[in-house]
Amino acid sequence: MKQNVRPLIGIMTATKSDGTIAGNASLFKRLQKKLISQNGISFIFTLEGVGEDQITGYQFDPKDGLWKKEIFPFPDLVYNRIPLRKVEQTKAFHRFIETLIERKIPFFNPSFIDKYQLYILFKDHPFLKQYLPQTILVQQEHALFLFLQKHKSIYLKPASASKGKGIYRIKLLQDQIHVEGTKNLLTHFPSFQLFWQEWQEHLLNNPYLAQEDIHSAEYEGNRYDFRILVHVKNGVYSLTGIGIRQSQDQGITTHIPAGGKLLPYHLIRSSFHEEFIERIIEPIGEALTEKIGYFGEFSIDAGISKNGKYYIYEVNSKPMSFDEPEIEEVKIERLCQLFQELTKFRPNQKNTI
């Protein structure tokens, strides 16, 4: 490893069951290239590689396009990109975070964000609560039935899933229950009791939220919502980019992995959308940091109803890659700026390890 480059950024990821390294390799490579241009360097590592005073990790070499295993000192900053929720629940993860705190090493993105935890956090927030769809935790048959009776159409969402996985829409039509999934699964039950008998084990063993179905605004006949990317810049949460996702064959979700479509932002752009987005960014970042820990980045899933009311659906730590190249380019710039800001190393500043 070169010994004359700072900052040294450690990107924390995880090992998959087959022993290979998980994570967004494309992101890691692009960060390494950008850091090198600023006289910095990065390496990826897993908890298994953490020792008492050094870390065994992998450094990407852009010259030959290869990952090289090396031993590194503890980094100047740790960027948490662990893609597996279960890893963040281990004793090894919590011990490592304690070590970073003891060594005064900054880190950001402390954990995944549980959907119900987020709802509880925001529903008591004096400003953000106005943008929340009505939501309950699925725990009892009667409470879920009353919630469905009230709204007639609701979503069932796993509290700890992402990318639109495991989402269903339940409708009460007369006395029948209609269940629709992202793969156009459509099941009918003649009564709520029969629905509950078949679904209760799944809904209670995998914590689920029930959320009112918002009748979203549409563009050319299909609903759309916002994907908003945020990073800290000069100590303030600020907008990195806005993407639009539109439902297609199924109307359950707009997530692209579940069949959604990218829609150019300029097609629905308005000053009202931008005012809403700018107003929610800082309060969300401050609330997350106060209650959970320091998030240097996050993405927001938000939307607008047909009658013009805005909603916050989800906030995601460790955002997925955006399909818009221009947003991805700004993201790399913002992350490297944040690395420099938190480590107090200026770009191209010569320092030695």
Side-chain angles (χ1 to χ4, degrees):
M1 182 186 67
K2 294 180 180 179
Q3 298 295 305
N4 63 340
V5 286
R6 296 292 280 269
L8 176 64
I9 306 299
I11 302 174
M12 181 164 52
T13 182
T15 305
K16 293 189 282 191
S17 58
D18 63 2
T20 59
I21 304 296
N24 188 337
S26 174
L27 171 64
F28 303 158
K29 291 175 182 179
R30 285 181 289 131
L31 285 173
Q32 175 75 322
K33 291 175 182 177
K34 186 65 179 179
L35 280 166
I36 288 173
S37 75
Q38 298 177 343
N39 199 47
I41 204 164
S42 65
F43 67 95
I44 64 171
F45 70 96
T46 67
L47 292 168
E48 292 85 351
V50 176
E52 222 172 284
D53 291 304
Q54 58 190 24
I55 298 175
T56 301
Y58 299 85
Q59 178 185 320
F60 179 70
D61 188 341
K63 292 180 181 177
D64 56 21
L66 298 176
W67 290 95
K68 299 177 180 178
K69 187 176 182 179
E70 296 189 33
I71 295 175
F72 299 87
F74 269 70
D76 299 306
L77 176 145
V78 170
Y79 175 34
N80 180 8
R81 288 295 305 193
I82 290 176
L84 306 171
R85 291 173 184 264
K86 62 183 180 181
V87 174
E88 293 185 342
Q89 297 166 359
T90 63
K91 290 181 180 179
F93 174 79
H94 293 290
R95 279 198 303 268
F96 182 65
I97 296 302
E98 289 172 4
T99 298
L100 295 179
I101 294 170
E102 289 169 3
R103 290 174 174 257
K104 295 183 170 57
I105 296 173
F107 64 93
F108 65 90
N109 298 356
S111 67
F112 283 102
I113 302 171
D114 178 271
K115 289 181 177 65
Y116 191 65
Q117 179 187 22
L118 182 78
Y119 176 74
I120 293 299
L121 174 60
F122 287 179
K123 82 178 183 67
D124 293 326
H125 192 282
F127 176 71
L128 297 173
K129 64 182 181 181
Q130 65 184 303
Y131 298 116
L132 297 183
Q134 290 192 28
T135 303
I136 63 169
L137 186 64
V138 178
Q139 294 177 305
Q140 297 176 336
E141 176 185 1
H142 186 60
L144 181 61
F145 178 63
L146 291 178
F147 193 74
L148 179 58
Q149 266 194 325
K150 177 180 180 181
H151 296 289
K152 308 304 180 189
S153 180
I154 64 174
Y155 278 92
L156 296 176
K157 297 182 176 183
S160 299
S162 59
K163 305 178 186 177
K165 294 178 181 176
I167 291 180
Y168 300 93
R169 183 162 57 191
I170 313 298
K171 293 184 177 181
L172 178 61
L173 298 175
Q174 296 177 337
D175 290 328
Q176 288 196 344
I177 306 299
H178 290 216
V179 182
E180 188 179 359
T182 55
K183 296 181 180 179
N184 294 320
L185 165 70
L186 189 58
T187 307
H188 301 266
F189 294 90
S191 70
F192 185 84
Q193 288 73 22
L194 289 173
F195 161 76
W196 182 257
Q197 286 175 21
E198 185 167 322
W199 280 71
Q200 65 173 322
E201 184 176 352
H202 178 67
L203 295 177
L204 297 179
N205 291 345
N206 307 281
Y208 262 79
L209 306 182
Q211 190 173 86
E212 67 171 308
D213 181 5
I214 303 302
H215 300 292
S216 300
E218 296 179 352
Y219 177 81
E220 295 185 346
N222 292 96
R223 61 183 291 259
Y224 68 86
D225 54 29
F226 307 102
R227 297 291 185 276
I228 303 156
L229 185 60
V230 177
H231 288 90
V232 173
K233 183 180 180 182
N234 299 323
V236 177
Y237 287 98
S238 60
L239 178 66
T240 298
I242 305 170
I244 304 298
R245 300 294 179 265
Q246 185 182 37
S247 65
Q248 291 297 288
D249 294 335
Q250 52 79 24
I252 302 295
T253 177
T254 63
H255 287 283
I256 288 179
K261 173 187 174 183
L262 182 153
L263 196 68
Y265 175 55
H266 69 84
L267 294 178
I268 57 93
R269 184 172 190 167
S270 83
S271 59
F272 296 106
H273 297 339
E274 292 174 3
E275 181 182 356
F276 159 71
I277 290 167
E278 289 292 345
R279 290 182 72 192
I280 65 173
I281 286 174
E282 189 69 18
I284 287 176
E286 289 177 349
L288 291 176
T289 296
E290 180 183 350
K291 297 296 184 180
I292 304 175
Y294 180 65
F295 287 86
E297 66 175 350
F298 54 84
S299 65
I300 307 166
D301 294 355
I304 181 172
S305 68
K306 289 180 179 178
N307 63 7
K309 179 172 171 53
Y310 289 99
Y311 289 91
I312 298 169
Y313 298 131
E314 295 180 21
V315 178
N316 305 292
S317 61
K318 304 174 225 176
M320 294 169 55
S321 295
F322 274 61
D323 292 280
E324 296 87 348
E326 65 277 11
I327 295 179
E328 283 294 291
E329 186 175 340
V330 178
K331 177 176 79 174
I332 298 300
E333 292 278 352
R334 290 287 176 87
L335 280 170
C336 289
Q337 287 174 7
L338 184 55
F339 296 158
Q340 305 285 354
E341 186 177 329
L342 294 177
T343 59
K344 297 180 172 57
F345 286 100
R346 296 190 303 275
N348 302 314
Q349 177 181 347
K350 298 287 184 180
N351 289 279
T352 57
I353 294 176

